[in-house]
Amino acid sequence: MTPDVFASVGFILSVVSNLPQVYRVRNKNTTKDIHPLSVLIHVVCCAVWSYYGYLLKLWILCLESFLVFLCWVYILLAIARDRIYEEAKQLTINTPP
């Protein structure tokens, strides 16, 4: 097997492994068990790897890391959406009529 085959398999597995989580968080109130700091670390990690791939002209690494970066940004935005929605719901409940 050539290095390109290994890179392609790694690319596919890395991107596909994030899709179930992305699919799960598309609805409201589905991110309570996901810690935002962990997701933020993933976002930064993917951005760094993507930039590293860009600098070394390792396009498969750059593209893979960027796609995973987008997945984790989407998850982070879903966490923010759920936190904002939960706070708004609490304000509505605690507001006297």
Side-chain angles (χ1 to χ4, degrees):
M1 287 185 136
T2 66
D4 290 338
V5 172
F6 281 109
S8 297
V9 169
F11 175 95
I12 292 167
L13 292 175
S14 182
V15 173
V16 169
S17 70
N18 289 286
L19 295 181
Q21 190 69 38
V22 168
Y23 182 76
R24 180 176 172 256
V25 301
R26 74 192 190 291
N27 296 320
K28 287 183 182 176
N29 296 322
T30 56
T31 63
K32 290 181 182 182
D33 58 342
I34 305 172
H35 198 284
L37 181 59
S38 175
V39 175
L40 184 60
I41 291 170
H42 278 285
V43 167
V44 172
C45 177
C46 290
V48 169
W49 274 113
S50 189
Y51 186 63
Y52 176 75
Y54 170 77
L55 290 175
L56 296 181
K57 297 188 180 1
L58 299 170
W59 303 120
I60 197 159
L61 175 64
C62 183
L63 180 61
E64 176 273 330
S65 298
F66 183 70
L67 291 175
V68 174
F69 168 83
L70 292 177
C71 290
W72 284 107
V73 166
Y74 179 79
I75 293 166
L76 191 61
L77 291 172
I79 291 170
R81 173 205 64 207
D82 287 352
R83 298 306 190 306
I84 291 168
Y85 176 75
E86 192 62 35
E87 286 180 20
K89 191 166 80 170
Q90 289 299 323
L91 287 174
T92 304
I93 292 170
N94 295 332
T95 305

